[in-house]
Each structure stands twice: as C-alpha cells, then as structure tokens.
Amino acid sequence: MYGADHKPDYGNQMCLKKMCFQAVRKHFAAVSTEAVLDLPTALIKDLLPHLTVCQLDELQPSLNRKGISTYSEWVGILAEMCKRDRVLDFHTEEEAKHEVMRRLFTFVFYGFRKGLGLRNGFVNRNAANLNTPSFLWAAANCIRRFLVIASLHEPFHRLTAEQRPVLNLLEKHVRIVDVSQFDVSKKKTQAVLYVLHRLIDHGAAKELIVDGQCPIMLVWLLHGRGSQYVDSKLVNLMHSKCCTSQTPPSGADGAMCTSSFETKTSDDMDDKGIPCKLSKLDNVEVDESDLTLDPQVLCQAFTPCDGSPAGVCSWGQIESLEIRQCSPENLRVLNSSLPTFFSLRSLTLHSISTFTDLDVFDMARALKQLSESSSNSLVDLSISVLPHIELMDSLLDASPNLTSLCVKVQTFFWAPHFAVHPAESELRIEKLTIKVAQVPTDLDYVTSVLKRSPHLASLHVAGLRPLTGSSQSQLLTTLAESNRSLRSLNLEDLNLSECLPEILKLLKAHTLEELRLNDCRLLEKWTDKQEGLQQLVAALKAVPSLHTLGMAQNRLAKNVCVLAELFSGSSPSSVRRLDLSSNFIQPAELLEFSKALRTHRPLHQLTLDLRRNPGDRDLHTWNIALSRLRSFCVLLVESWNSTNMMADHISNM
C-alpha cells in the first residue's frame, strides 16, 4: 500500500514489468508454458510481443483455447519485416503466421543473404533465436510453400545430411513448390533435384510454380507427374547414355512414361551445363560423366547408408501449374504435355512477351484434345498476355469444362490477327476475370461471353474501354439481364460516370455479396454529387447480402459523409468491409465522417480501409477522427506524404 503522500512510480513499474517479460523470453523453457498460461489474460497479452516466434508458435494453440488471439503479434512481425507502415492484408491468425514463418524460413535456410530482401531490424535483433535448429523445425512444421533457389545449392546438401529431419517435415507439410530457373545438367544441382523429388513425388506438394525460361527444367519437372507425353528431342539429348530405365507406374489415368532421364557431362562442363534454348538442343554435344537426372537413382544415391531403401519411388501428380516466364520453347513443351495432363486442375501462364495468335491457337488445340478426354480435370485457366480479346472465345470453346478463366489483354494496333467466330453454346464459367490494357475494345466480345455464362458468380473487369459510339452501360445491362447468379462484381478503371441508372438497375437484379467500383470516376459527371451518392446508398442498403463494398479512387473527398448513411434507418446495410482508400479525404472530412458513423453505428464491426488519403495535412484532426473510429472499426491506415498523394491524384484525373 502506498502512503497518502506517496505517488506510485509508474515509470519504474513499467521498467520492472519489461524486465520480467525479457526474463520469461530468455528462460522460457524453465518457466514452462503452463506457468505462462496461468497468468492473467491482460498480462499474457502484454507479454506476447516480447516472445520469440518459436515461443509464440508453441503457445498459440493453448492461447486460442483460452480465447486469446496471436493475430496482432504475427501481423506486427510482418509489418516490421516488410518495412511497410500499412497493415498487411492477412485476414486470419494462421495466414499471418504462415507468412511470417515462410519469409523467415527462406531467409534462415539460405543463410541470411541480403539478396532475399529480408535484411531488416527485426531479423537483426532476432538472428540468435532464428539461426537455430529449433526454429527450422518449427518453421518447417508450419510452412506450406517452399521456395527453391537452386543457385544456392549448399542448403540442399544440408537437407540430405544433418538437416534430413527438416526435409522429412517439409515433405509432410509443403503444398506448393516455387522453383526459380536452374540448369538441371549441373552436378551441383543433384541435391536440388533430389529435394524436388522428395517434395513432389514422396510428399504432399501438388502445386508447382516455375519461374524460368529453360525448357529442359520444365520437361524434368513435368515428366511422369500427370502427363503421358515427353518431348523426344529433349529426352534424346538427356539420354546421351542411360543407366537404368525406370518407368513410373500407371496412375488413375493410366499414364505411362518413357524411360527416365540420365545425362552425362564432363567435369569441365559442370559449370556450363546444357544450354536452355530449345532451338539449340539438337546441336549440343554432351560428354559422359557420373550425372543422373533419374529421380529413382537420385533417391537411392541420397538414401543414408543406415537407411532402408523404399523400393520403387512413386510419381507425384501435379494438380496446379504456374509458369511465370512462359517462353515460346516452354509453351511448346507445355502444349505437348497438355493433351494427356489428366491430373491438372489449374493452369496459369505468364508470357515473357505477348503471345501471338498462333501461340494461342496451338494452345487451344492442345486444350481441346485434353477436354475431349473423360479423364480431363482442368477447370481453372489463367493466361497473360493475349494479343486481343477475341482469343478469349477460342480458349473457352476449346475448354468448355472451365469454371474459372482469367485473361489479360494487350493489343497492338499494328499487329495483324486472325478473325475468331465465337460459338453460342452455354458455358460453365463461374468466375471470370478480364483485364485490358486501356485500348478501345469491342464490348460485343465481352457481352457475348456473359450471355453464354448463366452460372457466372464472380466477375472482375479492369481497364475496358468501349469503342467510339459504345458505352459501359451495355456491359451493365447485360449483367443485369443475363447473369442472375452473380455474387461478386469487381469493376476497376472503367468510366461509369454516366451509368448511375444502370448501376441502380443492376443492384436491384442481383443479391450481390461483394461489390467493388474502384477507379470508376463515379461522381465525375454527376450534377448533384450528393444526390447521386444518396441514390446509390439507398440502392446498396436494399441489398441485404452485401458484406464488402469497394469505392477506392473515386475522388469522394468531402462527399464521403454520405456513405455513413449506409448504416442509418430501420434497414441498415450489412456491409462489414468498406474500402475508401485513395479518395483524397481530408482530415476535417474524415472527422465529419467519423461523427456521422458514430451516430449511425454499423450492426457489425466494420473494417475500414483509409489508406492513401492525405492525413498528414492536419495530423491532429486526422488522429482524432481515427481514435473515434477505432472504437467500432478495424482501421487499415498508413502514413502518406501529401506531395506523393497529390502527384498520384493528378495522374489519375
């Protein structure tokens, strides 16, 4: 008890509290998790930011059972690691933790290298706790995505030796393997191939991301893992001399592959390897050496002497494939594999330049052959960049079983293209994304696809510019009349300033759950901006299913207060997430908005995105507004420089 004349020394109390937290961190094993969990809830929450990631990971399950979330701690670590002021968009505790562990594991696994972009204060302060076997174990038990940087081969050799238990954990937990380009013919990469074999063929990885233009690498990765086909020229090159012929067993699709790869190179060619250009493959002469590309032989070679051989290795089945630098050579390899790629459910292609018409037609033929098989599993296709939007019809007609399609289009007026005649058959598409590089486009090609898609539930259209004499109202009218199953609509960088009647009609026709009208110049031509916004708000309130509303980059400014009326009256909106970023909202305007929103409080906790607004014009007023909103909102905010903000604002006028 303090005496009547004695004031408590809160500064010393806080210092003592911090010292206790640091002692718990240092002697966590001796303190035990049970002792920590017995602390009062408020004290546990104060302790969490002082713990290491391993300690936080160990405590999380027990904390969750006590109703305590570690979400803010994981997001705080991410924000510090990424050197960004903004709150990161990870919506769950597990998502945030996995991202922290993935980033830190990559950094530690590859030896604290600066080039990985993670050199920062958090890592420097925690290096002693991160560079430990216990962290690698904890992270390997958590991560679902593994990045393969084959040029750094030493870490892979450690996985085959003293860190083999870590490899066992990765094999069990990794679902996505992300491979950067490397030369499969170098002997230094043998351990890399073995780890890939373990993850894809022995492990749980079904998703493959390939970031490289080397067709030999792509052939090796695809060989026997879902498709029956192997390019004979590549196989002949890689079979300069074969040791053992290993044939993968028939899968559910009855796939049988040719003999496995084995390439011979001399020691003096070890650093040069086999050139990666397919056009040069026929002229390559490869000397013989003790180098194997056969996963079965690799598995036997890297099995510990005291380990028991597992027999004939199984072959993994790739269900999702993404090629980030799809060169013409890689596309030819893929097109050869596609007709019998029966395990493939999702395909994403990013070209190194715009695909040609002939490229797309060749791919459409391969997709057509695949779709004609009863064993076809492909339902998700994403491709960029198409030379013109008409080719979207070719892809849809070649793959009528697709339920999801994403296309990005970059049209060059000087480039000739072939005429495409769209079909009229009904499509199964449920999710459609169309992004156009701001060139005039015939809306008939888009609306014809929409009219054929009665099951469409999600649509994202960006950058679409109608030809002279046409209007975006044509797009909105088609949606209102033909796509009654629509639940999510994202219109981005479209001029909808003259389309308010069509927007109101569309809202009446659908039970939307998500609506984003970002950078749509909504208020630009409205004579009475407040009256127009009130009409829009009234229509939005009449959609009880709506939980997400995006109004970013529409220059709402002082008119933002009207949006507070979403939550007024006897039938308030059910919106839980409201995006008002990049709207040039001044501090005084945000303060008025906060007052109006406190008067009409949302029924549910509202996530409010206020990023990229000029709060620094009057930081005191801005912070008062934020403090008022925080009592019933989750705020997404960041510091912003007004000079940059004005430049951004002007650039989008």
Side-chain angles (χ1 to χ4, degrees), residues 590-610:
L590 185 67
L591 185 61
E592 289 303 311
F593 176 74
S594 70
K595 293 177 181 177
L597 208 57
R598 288 187 72 177
T599 303
H600 310 296
R601 287 202 178 197
L603 295 175
H604 311 282
Q605 186 179 58
L606 181 68
T607 298
L608 184 60
D609 193 340
L610 295 170

Side-chain angles (χ1 to χ4, degrees), residues 154-331:
E154 282 302 321
F156 295 93
H157 285 284
R158 290 197 294 269
L159 279 182
T160 68
E162 68 270 18
Q163 292 180 358
R164 185 170 286 270
V166 175
L167 177 57
N168 294 337
L169 287 173
L170 292 172
E171 182 182 307
K172 182 179 179 181
H173 294 289
V174 168
R175 300 291 185 271
I176 306 171
V177 178
D178 188 341
V179 187
S180 61
Q181 179 163 310
F182 69 98
D183 190 342
V184 298
S185 70
K186 289 185 178 181
K187 192 162 185 176
K188 290 180 180 179
T189 62
Q190 296 277 277
V192 179
L193 297 180
Y194 169 67
V195 170
L196 285 169
H197 166 62
R198 286 285 302 272
L199 296 178
I200 300 173
D201 298 329
H202 290 261
K206 301 292 183 184
E207 300 182 42
L208 179 63
I209 300 172
V210 183
D211 193 352
Q213 301 178 37
C214 180
I216 301 176
M217 179 180 75
L218 183 60
V219 165
W220 188 90
L221 288 167
L222 298 186
H223 177 71
R225 298 183 173 107
S227 175
Q228 299 176 25
Y229 186 82
V230 176
D231 187 288
S232 59
K233 291 181 181 179
L234 288 171
V235 172
N236 289 336
L237 172 63
M238 302 175 83
H239 281 197
S240 56
K241 183 174 181 180
C242 293
C243 285
T244 307
S245 177
Q246 302 289 346
T247 304
S250 298
D253 56 12
M256 295 293 290
C257 298
T258 63
S259 59
S260 58
F261 301 138
E262 185 165 328
T263 302
K264 307 299 182 181
T265 60
S266 62
D267 291 336
D268 61 339
M269 291 182 64
D270 185 53
D271 290 331
K272 297 179 181 178
I274 300 173
C276 285
K277 290 293 184 181
L278 196 65
S279 59
K280 300 179 181 179
L281 291 180
D282 292 333
N283 299 321
V284 175
E285 293 184 4
V286 185
D287 293 334
E288 296 183 6
S289 181
D290 187 17
L291 176 69
T292 181
L293 303 181
D294 190 316
Q296 179 75 48
V297 177
L298 284 167
C299 208
Q300 294 172 351
F302 282 99
T303 299
C305 296
D306 55 350
S308 57
V312 177
C313 296
S314 60
W315 290 75
Q317 299 291 291
I318 297 170
E319 296 180 357
S320 175
L321 174 64
E322 178 179 349
I323 304 177
R324 287 184 174 160
Q325 299 184 57
C326 192
S327 63
E329 293 82 10
N330 272 347
L331 186 61

Side-chain angles (χ1 to χ4, degrees), residues 380-392:
D380 182 1
L381 177 63
S382 177
I383 179 169
S384 62
V385 179
L386 295 179
H388 52 92
I389 200 166
E390 295 94 318
L391 290 171
M392 180 173 63

Side-chain angles (χ1 to χ4, degrees), residues 5-6 25 115 123 183 200 227 369 379 386 420 423 426 435 444 463 471 503 542 552 561 606 641 645:
D5 297 327
H6 183 80
R25 171 188 170 115
V123 173
D183 190 342
I200 300 173
S227 175
Q369 289 178 267
V379 293
L386 295 179
V420 177
E426 183 177 300
K435 297 183 178 181
D444 287 340
S471 167
I503 294 174
C561 292
L606 181 68
N641 181 286
M645 181 64 196

Side-chain angles (χ1 to χ4, degrees), residues 492-561:
E492 178 185 356
D493 190 19
L494 273 63
N495 187 351
L496 302 181
S497 60
E498 297 179 316
C499 299
L500 181 58
E502 288 78 15
I503 294 174
L504 301 180
K505 180 181 177 182
L506 187 147
L507 289 171
K508 291 180 181 178
H510 295 88
T511 54
L512 289 175
E513 298 173 3
E514 179 179 1
L515 175 64
R516 297 184 184 275
L517 303 173
N518 297 340
D519 193 16
C520 286
R521 303 161 67 176
L522 288 175
L523 283 63
E524 186 176 281
K525 294 187 179 180
W526 293 359
T527 304
D528 188 333
K529 292 177 171 51
Q530 284 208 354
E531 171 63 25
L533 265 180
Q534 287 170 346
Q535 291 183 48
L536 180 59
V537 165
L540 290 167
K541 289 172 68 175
V543 186
S545 55
L546 190 68
H547 59 70
T548 299
L549 176 62
M551 298 282 286
Q553 209 169 328
N554 275 297
R555 304 164 202 163
L556 294 175
K558 63 182 179 181
N559 299 293
V560 68
C561 292

